[in-house]
Amino acid sequence: KAQEEEQRRKAQEEEQKRKALEEEQKRKAQEEEQRRKAQEEEQKRKALEQEQRRKALEEEQRRKAQEEEQRRKEEEERVKIAEQGKKENVKDKEKERKRHRFGKEKEEFLDSSQLQLSYSSDFLFNTSWKKSDFQQKERLGKGGFGVVRHVIEKRTQLHAAWKEVNYETPEEIQIVNKEIEIMQKIYEIVLKSNSSFIHIVQPLGLIIDKEDHKAYIVLEYCSKG
């Protein structure tokens, strides 16, 4: 019995040692698992921080690139505005120069051809008309030097025809001036001849449009052509 009791005691001690060893192994395995999980968590945290830093860096680079692009566009816009201003300034100067030349040519023409002079009691060439004084009707014809249109003088209801021609360059102004001068001289000659039939149309006046650089020679209207 004593031997059996001793054997049971030893078996119990052996079982306790085995269980203690298993418990120790489980504890170590749990600690190892916890360390592994802690390492994985730390790696994830570091990876997340690194990803956040990378995104922040990319965002900063995009912001700087956008700011640089914005500055570049603003600079281009300033240059464009400056160039546009220069071009407009040049255009304004050119336009003013043309207006000055246009007005000078007109004054010289009025002085030289004496358009305000009445050749007779029946022949007065009007240069005070404006384009707005007339109501435009149908087009009567078109040639190499201009368009002829039927018009009505609003105040007097006078039917007339005007010939629209370019009046900008010195050559164009000279052509118009010469044409009017010839028409006036011919009509004056025919008028003074006391002929019972006047076979040419009477030049009635001249309208000059400074803005469009056009001249309108107002002529007697022949309803039957």
Side-chain angles (χ1 to χ4, degrees), residues 9-101:
R9 186 184 62 77
K10 288 182 178 181
Q12 288 176 352
E13 289 179 354
E14 189 68 26
E15 181 66 18
Q16 288 175 352
K17 288 180 181 179
R18 185 184 63 77
K19 288 182 178 180
L21 181 60
E22 289 179 354
E23 191 68 26
E24 181 66 17
Q25 289 175 346
K26 286 181 181 179
R27 185 184 64 78
K28 288 182 178 180
Q30 289 175 351
E31 290 178 353
E32 185 67 25
E33 180 67 15
Q34 288 175 352
R35 282 194 297 270
R36 185 185 63 79
K37 288 183 178 181
Q39 288 177 352
E40 289 180 354
E41 192 67 28
E42 181 67 15
Q43 289 174 352
K44 288 181 181 179
R45 185 184 64 79
K46 289 182 178 180
L48 182 61
E49 289 179 352
Q50 187 174 0
E51 180 67 14
Q52 289 175 345
R53 284 195 296 269
R54 184 186 64 80
K55 288 183 178 180
L57 181 61
E58 289 179 353
E59 186 66 26
E60 180 67 15
Q61 289 174 345
R62 280 196 297 269
R63 185 185 64 80
K64 289 182 178 180
Q66 288 175 352
E67 290 178 353
E68 185 66 25
E69 180 67 13
Q70 183 67 22
R71 284 194 295 270
R72 185 186 65 79
K73 288 183 178 180
E74 289 176 355
E75 183 63 24
E76 288 180 353
E77 188 67 21
R78 283 195 293 270
V79 172
K80 185 177 179 180
I81 292 173
E83 290 178 352
Q84 185 68 23
K86 290 180 181 178
K87 289 181 181 179
E88 289 179 356
N89 190 28
V90 171
K91 287 181 180 179
D92 290 342
K93 288 183 179 179
E94 179 65 16
K95 190 174 182 180
E96 184 64 27
R97 186 182 65 81
K98 286 184 178 180
R99 284 181 177 176
H100 178 72
R101 185 189 66 192

Side-chain angles (χ1 to χ4, degrees), residues 16-214:
Q16 288 175 352
K17 288 180 181 179
R18 185 184 63 77
K19 288 182 178 180
L21 181 60
E22 289 179 354
E23 191 68 26
E24 181 66 17
Q25 289 175 346
K26 286 181 181 179
R27 185 184 64 78
K28 288 182 178 180
Q30 289 175 351
E31 290 178 353
E32 185 67 25
E33 180 67 15
Q34 288 175 352
R35 282 194 297 270
R36 185 185 63 79
K37 288 183 178 181
Q39 288 177 352
E40 289 180 354
E41 192 67 28
E42 181 67 15
Q43 289 174 352
K44 288 181 181 179
R45 185 184 64 79
K46 289 182 178 180
L48 182 61
E49 289 179 352
Q50 187 174 0
E51 180 67 14
Q52 289 175 345
R53 284 195 296 269
R54 184 186 64 80
K55 288 183 178 180
L57 181 61
E58 289 179 353
E59 186 66 26
E60 180 67 15
Q61 289 174 345
R62 280 196 297 269
R63 185 185 64 80
K64 289 182 178 180
Q66 288 175 352
E67 290 178 353
E68 185 66 25
E69 180 67 13
Q70 183 67 22
R71 284 194 295 270
R72 185 186 65 79
K73 288 183 178 180
E74 289 176 355
E75 183 63 24
E76 288 180 353
E77 188 67 21
R78 283 195 293 270
V79 172
K80 185 177 179 180
I81 292 173
E83 290 178 352
Q84 185 68 23
K86 290 180 181 178
K87 289 181 181 179
E88 289 179 356
N89 190 28
V90 171
K91 287 181 180 179
D92 290 342
K93 288 183 179 179
E94 179 65 16
K95 190 174 182 180
E96 184 64 27
R97 186 182 65 81
K98 286 184 178 180
R99 284 181 177 176
H100 178 72
R101 185 189 66 192
F102 185 83
K104 186 176 180 181
E105 291 282 351
K106 177 185 173 183
E107 290 175 1
E108 291 176 353
F109 171 59
L110 292 176
D111 291 340
S112 62
S113 58
Q114 298 179 350
L115 295 179
Q116 299 289 356
L117 177 63
S118 175
Y119 289 92
S120 71
S121 59
D122 297 324
F123 181 31
L124 180 65
F125 194 82
N126 193 330
T127 58
S128 62
W129 276 328
K130 299 187 295 293
K131 189 177 177 181
S132 58
D133 292 335
F134 289 84
Q135 177 186 359
Q136 298 185 43
K137 306 295 285 185
E138 73 278 7
R139 191 175 75 175
L140 301 176
K142 182 179 181 181
F145 293 99
V147 176
V148 179
R149 185 175 296 277
H150 176 202
V151 294
I152 300 176
E153 206 271 327
K154 295 177 182 178
R155 185 178 64 84
T156 63
Q157 292 298 302
L158 170 69
H159 286 254
W162 74 21
K163 180 179 179 181
E164 176 186 341
V165 292
N166 293 328
Y167 200 79
E168 180 176 6
T169 66
E171 293 78 9
E172 291 169 346
I173 293 173
Q174 185 178 7
I175 290 173
V176 174
N177 295 353
K178 193 66 177 178
E179 181 178 356
I180 293 175
E181 182 182 355
I182 292 172
M183 290 173 64
Q184 287 179 313
K185 287 182 178 180
I186 293 176
Y187 190 78
E188 180 186 10
I189 292 171
V190 174
L191 192 65
K192 289 181 177 180
S193 67
N194 295 322
S195 174
S196 59
F197 174 69
I198 299 178
H199 56 277
I200 64 171
V201 295
Q202 177 183 353
L204 300 176
L206 176 67
I207 302 169
I208 297 177
D209 189 338
K210 293 182 179 181
E211 294 296 327
D212 294 336
H213 303 296
K214 297 286 186 180

